[in-house]
Amino acid sequence: MTVLAIGALVVGACAADDSGPDGAEPGLVDACPDPVEGFAVSADADGNPLHRPTSGQAGSAGPDPRSLSGQSTAEISAEIQPVATDDLTPALPVQVASCDGETVEITDTSRILAVDLYGTLGEIVFSLGLGEHVVGRDTSTGFRAAEHLPVVTPGGHDLNAEAVLDLNPSVVLTDTSIGPPEVQQQLRDAGIPVVFFDGTRTIDGVPGQIRAVAGALGVPEAGEALVQRTQDEIADAMAWSPTDGEPLRIAFLYTRGGAVQLLAGPGSGADAMIQAIGAVDVGTDIGLDRPFTQITSEALINARPELIIMMTKGLESIGGIDGLSKIPGVAQTPAGENQRVVDMDDTQLLSFGPRTGQTIAALAEAVYSP
């Protein structure tokens, strides 16, 4: 799979030669399980049909979203609520089928380092209830419980081998969205168990990722509890989706100053979030065939977005709404005419971790009932 690196965003980061085995052997934890199609939307964590109520949606009772104007910010709590409130006793040792094809034995989880581009792995570890054993973090792991931890990606999103080794981790959880790979190999050469998980981020991948991390750390029961809680929160968040009228047309724009200006399409992750709140992803609708495509005025005008979603830092990098209106084509769209923009923190919007349900709910509230 091709890696598309866009500043702080990577889509499809699990390279073809990093694929895990076709089903881990008995006794092995598979770090690369298959996604669950329709997770928490149409299927439960095991792929069985999920029946959700179809009436009483909050989104239907709010104002007409097309009558709204201006900027709204979607926010979720900075706090992590561990699913296990008592001390966990991991069942060790654990054999893990890492996504890079190696079999890794984990015998000690007293000093955990979980690092990836999105902060997802760290969020899972803390949500399981093992946060007190985490010794460091990446720059994307920005929730309050991790703020005090030393950062091992001081240059932004590249691992610093010396910073990691200084922490003396007993296990490192990572993926191909972060690197360079020479550093991860250096950690293995130093005798540290390093497990690679799937680097892609989708709603369908959430239950498998949680189960893989929980299994690798020897707490599969906590993993199942966290999967169930996440499933329930996503299902509850879906209640914001309006049940009447034409779905809102939404564009996700990824910008970093004037140099990077991209429109999201299928497989971007943003498409799944837009669909989850009952709206139409315009990039997919107009036939884009890549996760991200350079913005053109013609494409934007033809897409007719009624609302634009952006990452907070991306919006700031172009000078806010005033700067957004200067991107060719934006001013000629319904969203541009109404200056209708929703922004969300870069580390939250596309992390697809245990707080996915909270993210969907916050995004829907900002879109439909700001």
Side-chain angles (χ1 to χ4, degrees), residues 114-178:
V115 287
D116 66 296
L117 192 63
Y118 317 91
T120 308
L121 297 176
E123 182 179 321
I124 293 174
V125 175
F126 273 83
S127 297
L128 289 169
L130 292 171
E132 64 180 15
H133 300 292
V134 178
V135 295
R137 67 180 179 93
D138 50 57
T139 54
S140 297
T141 303
F143 45 84
R144 189 165 296 146
E147 286 179 346
H148 68 287
L149 294 172
V151 175
V152 296
T153 53
H157 297 286
D158 286 339
L159 288 168
N160 180 284
E162 289 72 22
V164 174
L165 292 171
D166 284 347
L167 296 176
N168 190 30
S170 60
V171 60
V172 173
L173 313 180
T174 189
D175 63 28
T176 55
S177 72
I178 201 168

Short mmCIF file of all heavy atoms in Angstrom, two decimals, residues 114-178:
data_model
loop_
_atom_site.label_atom_id
_atom_site.label_comp_id
_atom_site.label_asym_id
_atom_site.label_seq_id
_atom_site.Cartn_x
_atom_site.Cartn_y
_atom_site.Cartn_z
N ALA A 114 4.42 3.79 23.78
CA ALA A 114 3.50 3.59 22.66
C ALA A 114 3.56 4.83 21.78
O ALA A 114 3.16 5.92 22.21
CB ALA A 114 2.09 3.36 23.17
N VAL A 115 4.05 4.68 20.54
CA VAL A 115 4.29 5.85 19.69
C VAL A 115 3.81 5.59 18.27
O VAL A 115 4.10 4.56 17.67
CB VAL A 115 5.78 6.23 19.67
CG1 VAL A 115 6.20 6.88 20.98
CG2 VAL A 115 6.67 5.02 19.39
N ASP A 116 3.06 6.55 17.73
CA ASP A 116 2.66 6.54 16.33
C ASP A 116 2.32 7.96 15.94
O ASP A 116 2.33 8.87 16.77
CB ASP A 116 1.48 5.59 16.10
CG ASP A 116 0.21 6.05 16.79
OD1 ASP A 116 0.19 6.11 18.04
OD2 ASP A 116 -0.77 6.36 16.09
N LEU A 117 2.02 8.17 14.67
CA LEU A 117 1.81 9.52 14.16
C LEU A 117 0.57 10.19 14.72
O LEU A 117 0.49 11.41 14.81
CB LEU A 117 1.72 9.47 12.63
CG LEU A 117 1.77 10.80 11.89
CD1 LEU A 117 3.10 11.50 12.11
CD2 LEU A 117 1.55 10.59 10.40
N TYR A 118 -0.41 9.39 15.12
CA TYR A 118 -1.71 9.90 15.53
C TYR A 118 -1.91 9.99 17.04
O TYR A 118 -2.89 10.59 17.50
CB TYR A 118 -2.82 9.03 14.95
CG TYR A 118 -2.60 8.63 13.52
CD1 TYR A 118 -1.93 7.45 13.20
CD2 TYR A 118 -3.04 9.44 12.48
CE1 TYR A 118 -1.72 7.08 11.89
CE2 TYR A 118 -2.84 9.07 11.15
CZ TYR A 118 -2.17 7.89 10.86
OH TYR A 118 -1.97 7.54 9.56
N GLY A 119 -1.08 9.33 17.82
CA GLY A 119 -1.30 9.24 19.25
C GLY A 119 -2.30 8.17 19.62
O GLY A 119 -2.69 8.05 20.79
N THR A 120 -2.69 7.33 18.65
CA THR A 120 -3.72 6.32 18.88
C THR A 120 -3.26 5.24 19.85
O THR A 120 -4.01 4.83 20.75
CB THR A 120 -4.13 5.67 17.55
OG1 THR A 120 -4.45 6.68 16.60
CG2 THR A 120 -5.33 4.76 17.74
N LEU A 121 -2.04 4.75 19.68
CA LEU A 121 -1.57 3.65 20.51
C LEU A 121 -1.46 4.07 21.98
O LEU A 121 -1.84 3.34 22.89
CB LEU A 121 -0.24 3.13 20.00
CG LEU A 121 -0.27 2.53 18.59
CD1 LEU A 121 1.13 2.15 18.13
CD2 LEU A 121 -1.20 1.33 18.52
N GLY A 122 -0.95 5.29 22.21
CA GLY A 122 -0.88 5.79 23.58
C GLY A 122 -2.26 5.96 24.18
O GLY A 122 -2.48 5.66 25.37
N GLU A 123 -3.21 6.43 23.38
CA GLU A 123 -4.58 6.60 23.86
C GLU A 123 -5.19 5.26 24.26
O GLU A 123 -5.89 5.15 25.28
CB GLU A 123 -5.43 7.25 22.77
CG GLU A 123 -6.86 7.52 23.18
CD GLU A 123 -7.66 8.19 22.08
OE1 GLU A 123 -7.10 9.07 21.38
OE2 GLU A 123 -8.84 7.84 21.92
N ILE A 124 -4.90 4.21 23.49
CA ILE A 124 -5.41 2.89 23.82
C ILE A 124 -4.83 2.40 25.14
O ILE A 124 -5.55 1.90 26.01
CB ILE A 124 -5.11 1.88 22.69
CG1 ILE A 124 -5.91 2.23 21.43
CG2 ILE A 124 -5.45 0.46 23.14
CD1 ILE A 124 -5.56 1.38 20.23
N VAL A 125 -3.51 2.54 25.30
CA VAL A 125 -2.86 2.07 26.53
C VAL A 125 -3.44 2.77 27.76
O VAL A 125 -3.77 2.13 28.77
CB VAL A 125 -1.34 2.27 26.46
CG1 VAL A 125 -0.69 1.89 27.80
CG2 VAL A 125 -0.74 1.44 25.33
N PHE A 126 -3.60 4.08 27.69
CA PHE A 126 -4.17 4.81 28.81
C PHE A 126 -5.64 4.42 29.03
O PHE A 126 -6.09 4.29 30.17
CB PHE A 126 -4.07 6.32 28.58
CG PHE A 126 -2.77 6.92 29.04
CD1 PHE A 126 -1.65 6.88 28.23
CD2 PHE A 126 -2.67 7.53 30.29
CE1 PHE A 126 -0.45 7.43 28.65
CE2 PHE A 126 -1.48 8.08 30.73
CZ PHE A 126 -0.35 8.03 29.90
N SER A 127 -6.38 4.22 27.96
CA SER A 127 -7.79 3.87 28.08
C SER A 127 -7.99 2.48 28.66
O SER A 127 -9.01 2.20 29.29
CB SER A 127 -8.47 3.97 26.71
OG SER A 127 -8.44 5.29 26.22
N LEU A 128 -7.02 1.60 28.44
CA LEU A 128 -7.09 0.27 29.04
C LEU A 128 -6.91 0.31 30.55
O LEU A 128 -7.38 -0.57 31.27
CB LEU A 128 -6.02 -0.64 28.43
CG LEU A 128 -6.22 -1.10 26.99
CD1 LEU A 128 -4.97 -1.76 26.45
CD2 LEU A 128 -7.41 -2.05 26.89
N GLY A 129 -6.20 1.33 31.04
CA GLY A 129 -5.91 1.44 32.46
C GLY A 129 -4.46 1.20 32.80
O GLY A 129 -4.11 0.99 33.97
N LEU A 130 -3.59 1.24 31.79
CA LEU A 130 -2.16 1.00 32.00
C LEU A 130 -1.34 2.28 31.87
O LEU A 130 -0.12 2.23 31.70
CB LEU A 130 -1.65 -0.04 30.99
CG LEU A 130 -2.19 -1.46 31.18
CD1 LEU A 130 -1.79 -2.34 30.00
CD2 LEU A 130 -1.68 -2.07 32.49
N GLY A 131 -1.99 3.42 31.98
CA GLY A 131 -1.30 4.69 31.79
C GLY A 131 -0.16 4.93 32.75
O GLY A 131 0.85 5.56 32.39
N GLU A 132 -0.26 4.42 33.96
CA GLU A 132 0.80 4.67 34.95
C GLU A 132 2.09 3.94 34.59
O GLU A 132 3.14 4.23 35.16
CB GLU A 132 0.33 4.23 36.34
CG GLU A 132 0.06 2.75 36.47
CD GLU A 132 -0.40 2.37 37.87
OE1 GLU A 132 -0.79 3.27 38.63
OE2 GLU A 132 -0.38 1.16 38.18
N HIS A 133 2.02 3.02 33.63
CA HIS A 133 3.22 2.29 33.21
C HIS A 133 3.85 2.88 31.95
O HIS A 133 4.87 2.36 31.47
CB HIS A 133 2.88 0.82 32.96
CG HIS A 133 2.34 0.11 34.16
ND1 HIS A 133 3.11 -0.16 35.26
CD2 HIS A 133 1.10 -0.36 34.44
CE1 HIS A 133 2.38 -0.79 36.17
NE2 HIS A 133 1.15 -0.91 35.70
N VAL A 134 3.27 3.94 31.42
CA VAL A 134 3.80 4.56 30.21
C VAL A 134 4.92 5.53 30.59
O VAL A 134 4.76 6.36 31.49
CB VAL A 134 2.69 5.31 29.44
CG1 VAL A 134 3.28 6.00 28.20
CG2 VAL A 134 1.60 4.33 29.02
N VAL A 135 6.07 5.44 29.90
CA VAL A 135 7.24 6.21 30.31
C VAL A 135 7.57 7.38 29.38
O VAL A 135 8.43 8.20 29.69
CB VAL A 135 8.48 5.29 30.43
CG1 VAL A 135 8.29 4.28 31.55
CG2 VAL A 135 8.77 4.59 29.10
N GLY A 136 6.92 7.45 28.23
CA GLY A 136 7.20 8.53 27.28
C GLY A 136 6.05 8.66 26.31
O GLY A 136 5.09 7.89 26.34
N ARG A 137 6.16 9.64 25.41
CA ARG A 137 5.07 9.86 24.44
C ARG A 137 5.62 10.50 23.17
O ARG A 137 6.75 11.00 23.12
CB ARG A 137 4.00 10.77 25.04
CG ARG A 137 4.46 12.21 25.30
CD ARG A 137 3.33 13.03 25.89
NE ARG A 137 3.71 14.42 26.17
CZ ARG A 137 3.55 15.44 25.33
NH1 ARG A 137 3.00 15.22 24.14
NH2 ARG A 137 3.91 16.66 25.66
N ASP A 138 4.77 10.47 22.14
CA ASP A 138 5.04 11.20 20.91
C ASP A 138 4.32 12.54 20.98
O ASP A 138 3.53 12.79 21.90
CB ASP A 138 4.59 10.40 19.68
CG ASP A 138 3.16 9.90 19.84
OD1 ASP A 138 2.26 10.73 20.04
OD2 ASP A 138 2.94 8.67 19.76
N THR A 139 4.56 13.42 20.01
CA THR A 139 3.95 14.75 20.05
C THR A 139 2.45 14.71 19.83
O THR A 139 1.74 15.65 20.21
CB THR A 139 4.58 15.66 18.98
OG1 THR A 139 4.49 15.01 17.70
CG2 THR A 139 6.03 15.94 19.29
N SER A 140 1.92 13.63 19.24
CA SER A 140 0.49 13.53 18.98
C SER A 140 -0.29 13.02 20.19
O SER A 140 -1.52 13.10 20.20
CB SER A 140 0.22 12.61 17.77
OG SER A 140 0.78 13.16 16.60
N THR A 141 0.39 12.48 21.17
CA THR A 141 -0.29 12.00 22.38
C THR A 141 -0.42 13.20 23.31
O THR A 141 0.42 13.44 24.17
CB THR A 141 0.51 10.86 23.04
OG1 THR A 141 0.66 9.80 22.09
CG2 THR A 141 -0.22 10.31 24.26
N GLY A 142 -1.51 13.96 23.11
CA GLY A 142 -1.62 15.25 23.77
C GLY A 142 -2.67 15.38 24.84
O GLY A 142 -2.92 16.48 25.32
N PHE A 143 -3.29 14.27 25.25
CA PHE A 143 -4.31 14.38 26.29
C PHE A 143 -3.65 14.64 27.64
O PHE A 143 -2.45 14.41 27.83
CB PHE A 143 -5.20 13.14 26.33
CG PHE A 143 -4.46 11.83 26.24
CD1 PHE A 143 -3.90 11.25 27.37
CD2 PHE A 143 -4.31 11.19 25.02
CE1 PHE A 143 -3.21 10.05 27.29
CE2 PHE A 143 -3.63 9.98 24.93
CZ PHE A 143 -3.07 9.42 26.06
N ARG A 144 -4.46 15.10 28.58
CA ARG A 144 -3.92 15.65 29.83
C ARG A 144 -3.10 14.64 30.64
O ARG A 144 -2.06 14.97 31.21
CB ARG A 144 -5.07 16.19 30.68
CG ARG A 144 -4.62 16.99 31.91
CD ARG A 144 -5.79 17.78 32.45
NE ARG A 144 -6.23 18.79 31.48
CZ ARG A 144 -7.50 19.16 31.34
NH1 ARG A 144 -8.45 18.60 32.05
NH2 ARG A 144 -7.82 20.09 30.46
N ALA A 145 -3.54 13.39 30.68
CA ALA A 145 -2.86 12.39 31.51
C ALA A 145 -1.44 12.11 31.03
O ALA A 145 -0.62 11.59 31.80
CB ALA A 145 -3.67 11.10 31.53
N ALA A 146 -1.14 12.45 29.77
CA ALA A 146 0.19 12.17 29.22
C ALA A 146 1.07 13.40 29.12
O ALA A 146 2.23 13.30 28.73
CB ALA A 146 0.05 11.53 27.85
N GLU A 147 0.55 14.55 29.46
CA GLU A 147 1.28 15.81 29.24
C GLU A 147 2.63 15.85 29.94
O GLU A 147 3.57 16.47 29.45
CB GLU A 147 0.43 17.00 29.71
CG GLU A 147 -0.72 17.34 28.78
CD GLU A 147 -1.54 18.51 29.29
OE1 GLU A 147 -1.38 18.87 30.49
OE2 GLU A 147 -2.33 19.07 28.52
N HIS A 148 2.74 15.19 31.08
CA HIS A 148 3.97 15.27 31.87
C HIS A 148 5.07 14.35 31.36
O HIS A 148 6.23 14.46 31.79
CB HIS A 148 3.67 14.88 33.33
CG HIS A 148 3.31 13.42 33.49
ND1 HIS A 148 2.08 12.91 33.08
CD2 HIS A 148 4.02 12.36 33.99
CE1 HIS A 148 2.05 11.62 33.34
NE2 HIS A 148 3.21 11.26 33.89
N LEU A 149 4.77 13.47 30.43
CA LEU A 149 5.73 12.48 29.98
C LEU A 149 6.75 13.09 29.01
O LEU A 149 6.42 13.97 28.22
CB LEU A 149 5.00 11.33 29.27
CG LEU A 149 4.08 10.48 30.17
CD1 LEU A 149 3.27 9.51 29.31
CD2 LEU A 149 4.90 9.72 31.21
N PRO A 150 7.99 12.62 29.05
CA PRO A 150 9.01 13.12 28.11
C PRO A 150 8.66 12.74 26.68
O PRO A 150 8.15 11.65 26.42
CB PRO A 150 10.30 12.43 28.58
CG PRO A 150 9.85 11.25 29.38
CD PRO A 150 8.55 11.62 30.01
N VAL A 151 8.94 13.65 25.75
CA VAL A 151 8.63 13.44 24.34
C VAL A 151 9.82 12.79 23.65
O VAL A 151 10.95 13.25 23.78
CB VAL A 151 8.28 14.78 23.66
CG1 VAL A 151 8.07 14.59 22.17
CG2 VAL A 151 7.04 15.39 24.30
N VAL A 152 9.55 11.72 22.90
CA VAL A 152 10.63 11.01 22.20
C VAL A 152 10.63 11.33 20.71
O VAL A 152 11.36 10.71 19.94
CB VAL A 152 10.52 9.48 22.41
CG1 VAL A 152 10.70 9.13 23.88
CG2 VAL A 152 9.19 8.94 21.88
N THR A 153 9.80 12.30 20.32
CA THR A 153 9.81 12.79 18.93
C THR A 153 10.05 14.29 18.97
O THR A 153 9.20 15.08 18.54
CB THR A 153 8.47 12.48 18.23
OG1 THR A 153 7.39 12.98 19.03
CG2 THR A 153 8.30 10.99 18.02
N PRO A 154 11.20 14.73 19.48
CA PRO A 154 11.45 16.16 19.69
C PRO A 154 11.47 16.98 18.40
O PRO A 154 11.21 18.18 18.42
CB PRO A 154 12.82 16.19 20.38
CG PRO A 154 13.48 14.92 19.97
CD PRO A 154 12.37 13.92 19.88
N GLY A 155 11.74 16.34 17.26
CA GLY A 155 11.78 17.06 16.01
C GLY A 155 10.44 17.15 15.32
O GLY A 155 10.35 17.66 14.21
N GLY A 156 9.41 16.65 15.94
CA GLY A 156 8.07 16.66 15.35
C GLY A 156 7.47 15.28 15.35
O GLY A 156 6.70 14.94 16.24
N HIS A 157 7.84 14.45 14.36
CA HIS A 157 7.25 13.12 14.27
C HIS A 157 8.29 12.04 14.00
O HIS A 157 7.94 10.92 13.63
CB HIS A 157 6.16 13.09 13.19
CG HIS A 157 5.01 14.00 13.50
ND1 HIS A 157 4.05 13.71 14.45
CD2 HIS A 157 4.68 15.21 13.00
CE1 HIS A 157 3.17 14.68 14.51
NE2 HIS A 157 3.53 15.61 13.64
N ASP A 158 9.57 12.34 14.18
CA ASP A 158 10.64 11.35 14.02
C ASP A 158 11.12 10.91 15.39
O ASP A 158 11.38 11.73 16.27
CB ASP A 158 11.81 11.93 13.23
CG ASP A 158 11.50 12.06 11.75
OD1 ASP A 158 10.58 11.35 11.29
OD2 ASP A 158 12.16 12.86 11.08
N LEU A 159 11.24 9.59 15.55
CA LEU A 159 11.73 9.05 16.81
C LEU A 159 13.20 9.38 17.01
O LEU A 159 13.99 9.34 16.08
CB LEU A 159 11.56 7.53 16.83
CG LEU A 159 10.14 6.99 16.96
CD1 LEU A 159 10.12 5.49 16.67
CD2 LEU A 159 9.60 7.25 18.37
N ASN A 160 13.56 9.68 18.26
CA ASN A 160 14.94 9.92 18.62
C ASN A 160 15.41 8.72 19.43
O ASN A 160 14.90 8.47 20.52
CB ASN A 160 15.05 11.21 19.44
CG ASN A 160 16.47 11.51 19.84
OD1 ASN A 160 17.02 10.90 20.75
ND2 ASN A 160 17.09 12.48 19.15
N ALA A 161 16.35 7.97 18.88
CA ALA A 161 16.79 6.73 19.51
C ALA A 161 17.33 6.96 20.92
O ALA A 161 17.03 6.20 21.85
CB ALA A 161 17.84 6.05 18.64
N GLU A 162 18.15 8.00 21.08
CA GLU A 162 18.73 8.27 22.39
C GLU A 162 17.64 8.60 23.42
O GLU A 162 17.70 8.15 24.57
CB GLU A 162 19.73 9.43 22.30
CG GLU A 162 21.02 9.09 21.57
CD GLU A 162 20.83 8.95 20.06
OE1 GLU A 162 19.83 9.50 19.54
OE2 GLU A 162 21.65 8.28 19.42
N ALA A 163 16.65 9.37 23.00
CA ALA A 163 15.57 9.73 23.91
C ALA A 163 14.79 8.49 24.36
O ALA A 163 14.38 8.38 25.52
CB ALA A 163 14.62 10.72 23.24
N VAL A 164 14.60 7.55 23.43
CA VAL A 164 13.90 6.31 23.78
C VAL A 164 14.75 5.45 24.70
O VAL A 164 14.29 4.96 25.74
CB VAL A 164 13.53 5.52 22.50
CG1 VAL A 164 12.94 4.16 22.88
CG2 VAL A 164 12.53 6.31 21.66
N LEU A 165 16.01 5.26 24.34
CA LEU A 165 16.88 4.39 25.15
C LEU A 165 17.07 4.94 26.56
O LEU A 165 17.19 4.17 27.52
CB LEU A 165 18.23 4.23 24.44
CG LEU A 165 18.19 3.42 23.14
CD1 LEU A 165 19.52 3.52 22.41
CD2 LEU A 165 17.84 1.96 23.42
N ASP A 166 17.08 6.26 26.70
CA ASP A 166 17.22 6.87 28.02
C ASP A 166 16.05 6.50 28.94
O ASP A 166 16.20 6.49 30.16
CB ASP A 166 17.30 8.39 27.90
CG ASP A 166 18.66 8.87 27.40
OD1 ASP A 166 19.61 8.05 27.39
OD2 ASP A 166 18.77 10.06 27.03
N LEU A 167 14.90 6.19 28.34
CA LEU A 167 13.72 5.84 29.13
C LEU A 167 13.71 4.37 29.54
O LEU A 167 12.88 3.96 30.36
CB LEU A 167 12.44 6.17 28.35
CG LEU A 167 12.22 7.65 28.03
CD1 LEU A 167 10.98 7.82 27.17
CD2 LEU A 167 12.09 8.47 29.31
N ASN A 168 14.57 3.58 28.93
CA ASN A 168 14.69 2.15 29.25
C ASN A 168 13.32 1.44 29.21
O ASN A 168 12.91 0.81 30.17
CB ASN A 168 15.33 1.97 30.64
CG ASN A 168 15.68 0.51 30.92
OD1 ASN A 168 15.98 -0.26 30.01
ND2 ASN A 168 15.62 0.12 32.19
N PRO A 169 12.61 1.54 28.08
CA PRO A 169 11.29 0.89 28.02
C PRO A 169 11.41 -0.63 28.03
O PRO A 169 12.38 -1.19 27.49
CB PRO A 169 10.72 1.39 26.69
CG PRO A 169 11.93 1.67 25.86
CD PRO A 169 12.97 2.19 26.81
N SER A 170 10.44 -1.29 28.63
CA SER A 170 10.41 -2.76 28.61
C SER A 170 9.71 -3.28 27.37
O SER A 170 9.87 -4.45 27.02
CB SER A 170 9.72 -3.30 29.87
OG SER A 170 8.38 -2.82 29.95
N VAL A 171 8.92 -2.42 26.70
CA VAL A 171 8.27 -2.79 25.46
C VAL A 171 7.93 -1.51 24.69
O VAL A 171 7.58 -0.49 25.29
CB VAL A 171 6.99 -3.63 25.71
CG1 VAL A 171 5.97 -2.86 26.55
CG2 VAL A 171 6.37 -4.10 24.39
N VAL A 172 8.05 -1.57 23.37
CA VAL A 172 7.70 -0.44 22.51
C VAL A 172 6.59 -0.88 21.55
O VAL A 172 6.73 -1.89 20.85
CB VAL A 172 8.91 0.06 21.70
CG1 VAL A 172 8.48 1.13 20.70
CG2 VAL A 172 9.98 0.62 22.64
N LEU A 173 5.50 -0.14 21.55
CA LEU A 173 4.39 -0.36 20.63
C LEU A 173 4.44 0.74 19.57
O LEU A 173 4.47 1.92 19.91
CB LEU A 173 3.05 -0.30 21.38
CG LEU A 173 2.95 -1.08 22.69
CD1 LEU A 173 1.55 -0.91 23.29
CD2 LEU A 173 3.28 -2.56 22.48
N THR A 174 4.43 0.37 18.30
CA THR A 174 4.60 1.37 17.25
C THR A 174 3.94 0.89 15.97
O THR A 174 3.25 -0.13 15.93
CB THR A 174 6.10 1.66 17.04
OG1 THR A 174 6.25 2.77 16.17
CG2 THR A 174 6.83 0.46 16.48
N ASP A 175 4.14 1.64 14.86
CA ASP A 175 3.68 1.23 13.54
C ASP A 175 4.51 1.96 12.49
O ASP A 175 5.45 2.71 12.83
CB ASP A 175 2.17 1.47 13.35
CG ASP A 175 1.76 2.93 13.43
OD1 ASP A 175 2.58 3.82 13.12
OD2 ASP A 175 0.61 3.21 13.81
N THR A 176 4.17 1.77 11.21
CA THR A 176 4.97 2.35 10.15
C THR A 176 4.64 3.80 9.86
O THR A 176 5.23 4.41 8.96
CB THR A 176 4.81 1.54 8.85
OG1 THR A 176 3.40 1.46 8.52
CG2 THR A 176 5.37 0.15 8.99
N SER A 177 3.72 4.39 10.62
CA SER A 177 3.42 5.81 10.42
C SER A 177 4.47 6.70 11.04
O SER A 177 4.47 7.91 10.84
CB SER A 177 2.04 6.14 11.02
OG SER A 177 2.08 6.13 12.44
N ILE A 178 5.36 6.11 11.82
CA ILE A 178 6.39 6.88 12.51
C ILE A 178 7.72 6.18 12.29
O ILE A 178 7.76 4.99 11.97
CB ILE A 178 6.03 7.02 14.01
CG1 ILE A 178 6.76 8.19 14.66
CG2 ILE A 178 6.27 5.72 14.76
CD1 ILE A 178 6.22 8.54 16.04
#
